[in-house]
Amino acid sequence: MRVSTLRAVDRWIGVPGCGFLTLYRLVFRRSEPIATIRRILFVKLAEQGSTVLAAGALLRAIEQVGRENVFFLAFQENRFILDAMELVPAGNVLTLDVDSLPSAARSVWRVVARLRALHIDAAIDLEFFARASAILTFLSGARVRVGLHSFAGEGPWRGDLMTHRLVCNPYLHTSDLFLVMVEALAHPADRFPACSMPRPEARLLPPARRISHADVEMMRRMVGECTRGAAEPPLILLNANTGDLLPLRRWDTGRYVELARRLLAALPEIHVLLTGGPGERHDVEALAAAVASPRCVSVAGKTTLPQLLALYSLSRVLVTNDSGPAHFAALTSIEVVTLFGPETPALFAARTPRNHVLWAGTVCSPCVSAFNNRVSRCRDNICMQRISVDEVFEATLAAYLARVSGGDTVVAEPDQG
């Protein structure tokens, strides 16, 4: 389903659903706290980047109950990033198929039945005020439920379904907020939203422990075809996000053309590959044609997401706006130059020393947040326009030279079964 359809479902079905379940909880409330938590479920349906930011929370849950007792619920299309992170056992990842309303309904029924059979003790809703995730957290049967609550209109209303109701702190990095949700399990529910626990120590993102050897070899062959047999030249990737679901985050494609030309002129040894999804293929190919260099090729739509991770492991630098690729590239050894505009790096930047953030910091930015359901009235993204080609070129060049001086480390390992 399209994002607009998912949002409509979350509103028109989610609001009455949350209202009904809130009333049910009020009437049939039982003693919800339990003495020992043995199994923990995380619910994070959408946004691949935020799934990566949950790594620290997952590691903390594993420390508490063991890896075999940690479960994760996500949309089917986001499963690959959980498999790449290898924190949650493959058999503990539950997925929802949302290609259509009928398939979504069947998936929900199947997932809820399985969760009930698993006897989950605690469920943690990592979504920012989504009603669907709140409903699924409640229906999981978990006696302890942690999630964000709209106390005074901080975000979209989604009922009163959590036992541990946390306030959305706009000064906590998202990965810290997720970690606080896990730490909240050790505190009585009536201690929230106020709580004396200190801010957690930041956890750096662990690299992917396995990238398919077959995917790496396939990407090597693809690169050879793109570079006409050149012996694995150094690669710089540009992800223009021409079909981005949030157009406000786009950096002008004309600037990507200028950036590619300048990089190719300054670094005669490199090739530039333009990445993107299947729906972006036509636009990205036009962008490559505009660069007009045999050393600049589009690979948009030619890779699966796991193969894209393999490509990152073979490349030196990725330039992208704030999006999923900026986060799951952090699972590899690639340097990433991330362009922020309508959202803030203080909350959403990937936590790795290989992430180099550019943000103009205009007074109207960030205008997209959890509080407004990530909907902005802006139609002129001056926050992205203020990031110049000069800035991005210098940051990319510095990241490339740092990578060259530091040596290459491909994280691909042989397949294991």
Side-chain angles (χ1 to χ4, degrees):
M1 283 188 286
R2 299 174 59 181
V3 171
S4 57
T5 304
L6 288 172
R7 284 183 172 175
V9 170
D10 193 68
R11 179 180 180 183
W12 297 109
I13 297 179
V15 170
C18 286
F20 173 79
L21 292 177
T22 296
L23 179 61
Y24 176 89
R25 183 187 177 211
L26 180 64
V27 174
F28 299 101
R29 183 189 298 266
R30 61 177 177 172
S31 179
E32 288 164 322
I34 57 177
T36 304
I37 292 176
R38 297 182 178 86
R39 290 187 165 186
I40 299 175
L41 167 71
F42 289 88
V43 180
K44 186 76 184 79
L45 302 178
E47 298 183 349
Q48 297 157 352
S50 291
T51 302
V52 176
L53 290 177
L58 289 169
L59 287 169
R60 183 69 183 110
I62 290 168
E63 292 170 0
Q64 291 182 356
V65 299
R67 183 169 178 263
E68 69 281 2
N69 292 314
V70 174
F71 298 81
F72 205 105
L73 174 58
F75 287 150
Q76 176 63 41
E77 64 190 34
N78 293 332
R79 181 189 178 118
F80 93 96
I81 200 65
L82 289 161
D83 292 337
M85 292 165 66
E86 287 195 322
L87 295 177
V88 180
N92 289 10
V93 178
L94 292 77
T95 60
L96 291 175
D97 177 3
V98 292
D99 286 342
S100 65
L101 282 174
S103 63
R106 289 192 297 268
S107 285
V108 168
W109 183 270
R110 170 181 52 81
V111 163
V112 169
R114 187 181 172 199
L115 288 174
R116 292 268 177 179
L118 287 170
H119 301 292
I120 299 295
D121 298 309
I124 299 175
D125 181 3
L126 299 178
E127 292 287 357
F128 288 95
F129 298 109
R131 287 108 178 179
S133 60
I135 290 172
L136 288 167
T137 299
F138 185 83
L139 294 179
S140 71
R143 298 278 294 279
V144 177
R145 300 177 299 277
V146 182
L148 298 178
H149 184 76
S150 180
F151 288 93
E154 298 95 331
W157 181 87
R158 56 177 191 165
D160 184 10
L161 304 181
M162 305 298 160
T163 59
H164 292 59
R165 305 185 304 168
L166 273 61
V167 66
C168 185
N169 185 341
Y171 302 100
L172 270 183
H173 190 278
T174 301
S175 59
D176 290 340
L177 175 61
F178 291 164
L179 190 53
V180 166
M181 290 181 173
V182 179
E183 299 293 355
L185 297 175
H187 296 263
D190 59 8
R191 294 281 297 276
F192 296 94
C195 186
S196 61
M197 76 170 72
R199 287 174 179 253
E201 289 188 21
R203 293 194 177 207
L204 293 179
L205 182 70
R209 288 184 283 179
R210 180 171 64 88
I211 293 177
S212 167
H213 179 70
D215 285 340
V216 171
E217 290 307 309
M218 186 173 293
M219 290 299 96
R220 282 198 167 112
R221 289 194 296 271
M222 186 191 72
V223 169
E225 293 171 2
C226 292
T227 60
R228 294 172 174 80
E232 285 202 27
L235 301 175
I236 291 180
L237 308 180
L238 305 184
N239 181 56
N241 267 303
T242 59
D244 191 3
L245 296 175
L246 185 60
L248 288 178
R249 293 191 295 196
R250 291 181 190 157
W251 196 50
D252 184 71
T253 53
R255 298 190 180 190
Y256 274 106
V257 171
E258 184 180 348
L259 175 65
R261 289 173 176 169
R262 291 184 62 176
L263 289 170
L264 292 167
L267 302 168
E269 73 276 17
I270 71 164
H271 275 64
V272 171
L273 299 186
L274 306 177
T275 63
E280 302 171 273
R281 185 168 185 166
H282 177 75
D283 291 335
V284 176
E285 287 176 350
L287 196 157
V291 176
S293 168
R295 293 190 290 129
C296 179
V297 182
S298 168
V299 296
K302 298 179 181 180
T303 64
T304 64
L305 291 174
Q307 288 169 352
L308 192 59
L309 275 180
L311 180 61
Y312 290 160
S313 74
L314 296 172
S315 305
R316 306 292 178 88
V317 184
L318 166 69
V319 180
T320 180
N321 66 336
D322 170 39
S323 57
H327 290 278
F328 50 78
L331 295 172
T332 72
S333 57
I334 196 171
E335 302 285 328
V336 184
V337 176
T338 310
L339 315 182
F340 270 85
E343 294 186 286
T344 170
L347 299 184
F348 297 107
R351 276 190 164 164
T352 166
R354 298 185 303 279
N355 186 31
H356 313 279
V357 171
L358 295 178
W359 184 48
T362 57
V363 295
C364 56
S365 174
C367 64
V368 173
S369 71
F371 299 139
N372 61 14
N373 209 22
R374 295 189 171 178
V375 176
S376 173
R377 297 183 65 85
C378 177
R379 297 296 179 267
D380 183 19
N381 64 343
I382 58 175
C383 55
M384 295 299 291
Q385 297 167 34
R386 289 284 299 274
I387 301 175
S388 69
V389 176
D390 286 341
E391 290 178 273
V392 181
F393 172 76
E394 293 297 333
T396 306
L397 186 62
Y400 174 81
L401 295 176
R403 175 66 183 274
V404 170
S405 63
D408 289 329
T409 54
V410 177
V411 301
E413 299 177 4
D415 289 323
Q416 301 172 13

